[in-house]
Amino acid sequence: MYAAGVSARRILVVDDDADIRRIAALALERIGGFDVTLAADGVEAVESATRQPPDLVLLDVSMPGMDGPSTLATLRASEATARIPVIFFTATSNDGEVARLVALGAAGVVPKPFEVADLPRRVRSILRELGYNDGP
Amino acid sequence: MTGAGDPSIEALLAAARTQFAAGLPSRIEALDGFVARGQWEDARRAAHKLRGAAATYGYAALGESAAAIEQLLLDAEDRPGDDARARLAEMLSASRTEAVRAAGTP
């Protein structure tokens, strides 16, 4: 399903919390070397991913309106965005919740809080499992 | 909250942390407002967001306070009774103090 052997570089970060968007972008861009696009809600995320498909979406679970799972379902329903891997971001990361999110089609789950310097490593680890090269 | 030892990244993280801390009193005020108006689901969502953000930015105590507020509202199924509301008021007071302290600390 995913692009084996390709380097993933572009990440779309989706979170309704501006402070989380800011720190995630800082971690992924300045520490990880990724190119980051931000979206504040599910609708904006779908529009952005359709306009310029990222290599990966880092998606908050709990958002008002179109929540994370609904956003994932919408991405999967469109040919343009169906194959983009999605990692969920959540402050509720017990085993049951992780299993639920993976069953929905997530490529992985990154718990909040996260260690800023560690976020790029976590993302790269999941990308490697998907068959991507290590990225930038 | 570290930046892998790179001074320029450490500086950016410190600036981000300062910006976050400056916004904490407003976050607590918003949470306070939801509670005052009985908007329990909004209050729970705000506490949930604060829980993740505060801990990520290195304010563990405030993150725990927010987690406790969220859990109280979850346990009350977003319909807290008098006892729960009294505990909520105490928790908010503690969170407010913590937020003001964080905002005033470089």
Side-chain angles (χ1 to χ4, degrees), chain A:
Chain A
M1 184 177 181
Y2 302 115
V6 173
S7 289
R9 186 173 188 87
R10 298 185 311 277
I11 300 179
L12 172 62
V13 174
V14 188
D15 200 304
D16 62 312
D17 190 303
D19 290 311
I20 290 293
R21 291 197 303 274
R22 181 182 309 117
I23 201 69
L26 200 162
L28 292 169
E29 285 179 332
R30 295 305 301 266
I31 300 174
F34 291 98
D35 295 327
V36 175
T37 303
L38 302 176
D41 59 48
V43 172
E44 193 178 326
V46 171
E47 288 173 354
S48 178
T50 302
R51 189 170 56 245
Q52 188 176 22
D55 297 310
L56 173 75
V57 177
L58 187 54
L59 177 59
D60 186 28
V61 171
S62 176
M63 296 187 293
M66 188 188 287
D67 65 5
S70 298
T71 303
L72 172 59
T74 304
L75 291 170
R76 288 291 175 264
S78 167
E79 180 64 26
T81 55
R83 283 170 292 281
I84 301 171
V86 173
I87 297 175
F88 275 122
F89 231 170
T90 179
T92 308
S93 56
N94 56 63
D95 289 347
E97 179 67 0
V98 169
R100 182 184 80 89
L101 295 173
V102 171
L104 289 174
V109 177
V110 171
K112 295 178 190 173
F114 56 89
E115 182 58 47
V116 175
D118 198 45
L119 181 61
R121 183 195 64 77
R122 284 179 170 270
V123 167
R124 282 207 183 89
S125 174
I126 294 171
L127 287 171
R128 274 199 301 274
E129 288 175 11
L130 295 174
Y132 283 88
N133 289 337
D134 273 4

Side-chain angles (χ1 to χ4, degrees), chain B:
Chain B
M1 186 172 161
T2 63
D6 183 322
S8 64
I9 293 175
E10 295 287 354
L12 286 171
L13 289 174
R17 192 165 190 258
T18 298
Q19 184 174 3
F20 174 75
L24 278 173
S26 293
R27 281 204 181 222
I28 300 297
E29 193 178 324
L31 178 50
D32 234 344
F34 289 137
V35 170
R37 293 188 296 273
Q39 293 171 285
W40 305 117
E41 189 177 341
D42 289 332
R44 180 171 48 77
R45 282 206 185 108
H48 178 80
K49 290 294 173 181
L50 180 58
R51 165 189 168 192
T56 296
Y57 275 87
Y59 296 100
L62 188 53
E64 287 168 11
S65 296
I69 291 170
E70 180 191 8
Q71 191 59 51
L72 181 150
L73 289 168
L74 274 169
D75 290 343
E77 297 179 348
D78 289 344
R79 290 191 303 274
D82 290 344
D83 285 349
R85 292 186 196 200
R87 289 202 306 278
L88 193 51
E90 290 173 5
M91 290 176 181
L92 278 169
S93 178
S95 296
R96 200 178 298 118
T97 301
E98 190 61 38
V100 168
R101 183 182 303 133
T105 306

